[in-house]
Amino acid sequence: MRKLGLVPTIQRLAVLEYLENNHTHPTAEEVYQGVRDQFPSLAKATVYNVLDALKKAGGIQELTIAREAARYDYNPSPHPHFLCRVCGNLYDVDLPCSIRPGDEICGHLVEVAQVYLHGICVQCQKQNSQNKNESKTGVRRSSVSTKRRDDAGAP
Amino acid sequence: MRKLGLVPTIQRLAVLEYLENNHTHPTAEEVYQGVRDQFPSLAKATVYNVLDALKKAGGIQELTIAREAARYDYNPSPHPHFLCRVCGNLYDVDLPCSIRPGDEICGHLVEVAQVYLHGICVQCQKQNSQNKNESKTGVRRSSVSTKRRDDAGAP
DNA sequence: TATCCATATTAGAACTATTATAAACTTAGA
DNA sequence: TCTAAGTTTATAATAGTTCTAATATGGATA
């Protein structure tokens, strides 16, 4: 924390530890809920402050891939992200970005480069084809959840 | 409009025409203000509805590069965008995207691919070096605006 | 042209993520 | 320990977007 030039408060350490243990790209709300279990006095504004401070210090990165809420990635190095429109899971994609910070594009100086992909993740594609096959043979099962799973994470 | 499978109402035509004439990637609010000049009865909810309908029909694209508000691009084909953190202008970048709709990445099916770049645009870099030189020679001028300019647009 | 139905628009309220505010509290250095 | 700067807290305020229900419109049909 001191390497980042930040005063190491218990709130900041708790938030950073939560992100370290949860590579699910949680929202500020989810960080708040998660950290508050072991830290009931935590204020939501503090979570926003801490996430902002960590982001500005380069310790984490903020993802604005979903309009509803920002998500946070413990890994600050630039890499593409994939958001599944069926389950809502957000995956890291292990590909080098073609445009990197420091590059010049049309004369513009690039400081941050984000690649956001939207579509259907590998698991939801499988689920979907399974459901189709099962409906052909008369087997029924509950439909694929459209809500985000709590155990979401990188593959 | 009919090509997009949408009923061509005057509201939809007005919004689409505004986007056609303003390649500044306006927000919903800016579209609302701009269209309302010639269409005082327009409701803001209609602007949201229309932008959403156009987006879903593939006639325009929605950009979530800035957390504050979505922006809209008359050009629906995928290309990178650059947001200047000094003037707030949003520029189209004429580079082919390395990842395109239809691709598979780590098994995930890509439907939409967005490349968002943040930094300092070519004009603001020039302004900044000008100001530095002038301050050396004692010449003063007002600092670079941090607010978005109304004549913003692609170069 | 008149009628009808599905769809679109309107105005305003409601919702939600985020930011601002001001007081109380920590941290770290003298 | 004392102090100044920075941080946390609780709450209010803000702003973008969505929801609701009543009204209006487009366009197919008779």
Side-chain angles (χ1 to χ4, degrees):
Chain A
M1 184 67 71
R2 234 170 277 253
K3 286 182 221 161
L4 299 172
L6 297 175
V7 175
T9 66
I10 39 177
Q11 290 87 349
R12 287 176 173 172
L13 291 169
V15 166
L16 192 59
E17 189 181 14
Y18 180 85
L19 288 175
E20 190 173 3
N21 295 332
N22 294 274
H23 290 193
T24 53
H25 309 94
T27 63
E29 176 70 30
E30 288 167 331
V31 172
Y32 174 60
Q33 298 295 340
V35 175
R36 211 175 47 160
D37 287 351
Q38 290 125 33
F39 200 145
S41 74
L42 186 73
K44 197 186 275 189
T46 302
V47 173
Y48 279 100
N49 288 340
V50 169
L51 290 170
D52 200 53
L54 288 170
K55 174 185 72 170
K56 281 180 178 153
I60 63 173
Q61 71 176 304
E62 185 182 68
L63 308 174
T64 57
I65 188 169
R67 246 233 312 285
E68 307 86 49
R71 294 188 176 200
Y72 295 88
D73 190 341
Y74 180 70
N75 177 3
S77 66
H79 57 277
H81 291 90
F82 182 96
L83 179 64
C84 178
R85 71 166 161 82
V86 178
C87 65
N89 284 1
L90 182 50
Y91 301 88
D92 291 306
V93 173
D94 262 340
L95 274 180
C97 292
S98 50
I99 306 171
R100 317 188 110 266
D103 287 358
E104 252 198 16
I105 299 281
C106 306
H108 309 317
L109 175 62
V110 175
E111 294 173 338
V112 176
Q114 299 278 14
V115 177
Y116 293 141
L117 309 173
H118 301 252
I120 306 180
C121 76
V122 60
Q123 283 151 27
C124 290
Q125 287 176 69
K126 276 183 200 161
Q127 287 254 356
N128 194 253
S129 59
Q130 261 179 33
N131 285 351
K132 274 187 197 158
N133 289 341
E134 281 163 5
S135 64
K136 277 184 198 166
T137 57
V139 178
R140 305 298 307 140
R141 67 154 58 193
S142 61
S143 67
V144 174
S145 167
T146 58
K147 281 219 66 178
R148 183 154 176 229
R149 295 207 333 258
D150 284 343
D151 58 339
Chain B
M1 185 67 73
R2 233 169 279 254
K3 285 181 220 160
L4 298 172
L6 297 175
V7 176
T9 65
I10 38 177
Q11 290 87 348
R12 286 175 174 174
L13 291 169
V15 166
L16 192 59
E17 189 181 12
Y18 180 85
L19 288 175
E20 190 173 3
N21 296 332
N22 295 275
H23 289 193
T24 54
H25 310 92
T27 62
E29 177 69 31
E30 287 167 330
V31 172
Y32 174 60
Q33 298 295 340
V35 175
R36 213 176 44 161
D37 286 351
Q38 290 125 33
F39 200 144
S41 74
L42 185 72
K44 196 184 276 190
T46 302
V47 174
Y48 280 100
N49 287 341
V50 169
L51 290 170
D52 200 54
L54 288 171
K55 175 185 71 168
K56 282 181 178 153
I60 63 173
Q61 71 177 303
E62 184 182 66
L63 308 174
T64 57
I65 188 169
R67 247 235 311 283
E68 306 84 51
R71 294 187 174 202
Y72 296 88
D73 190 341
Y74 181 70
N75 175 4
S77 66
H79 56 278
H81 291 89
F82 182 97
L83 179 64
C84 177
R85 72 167 160 85
V86 178
C87 65
N89 283 3
L90 183 49
Y91 301 88
D92 290 308
V93 174
D94 261 342
L95 275 180
C97 292
S98 49
I99 306 172
R100 317 188 109 267
D103 287 357
E104 252 199 17
I105 299 281
C106 306
H108 309 316
L109 175 64
V110 175
E111 292 173 338
V112 177
Q114 300 278 15
V115 177
Y116 293 141
L117 309 174
H118 303 252
I120 306 179
C121 76
V122 62
Q123 284 151 27
C124 290
Q125 287 175 68
K126 278 183 200 159
Q127 287 255 0
N128 195 253
S129 58
Q130 260 178 35
N131 285 351
K132 274 188 200 160
N133 291 339
E134 282 163 3
S135 64
K136 276 184 200 166
T137 59
V139 178
R140 306 296 310 139
R141 66 154 60 192
S142 61
S143 66
V144 173
S145 167
T146 58
K147 280 219 67 179
R148 184 155 175 225
R149 298 206 331 260
D150 283 345
D151 57 340

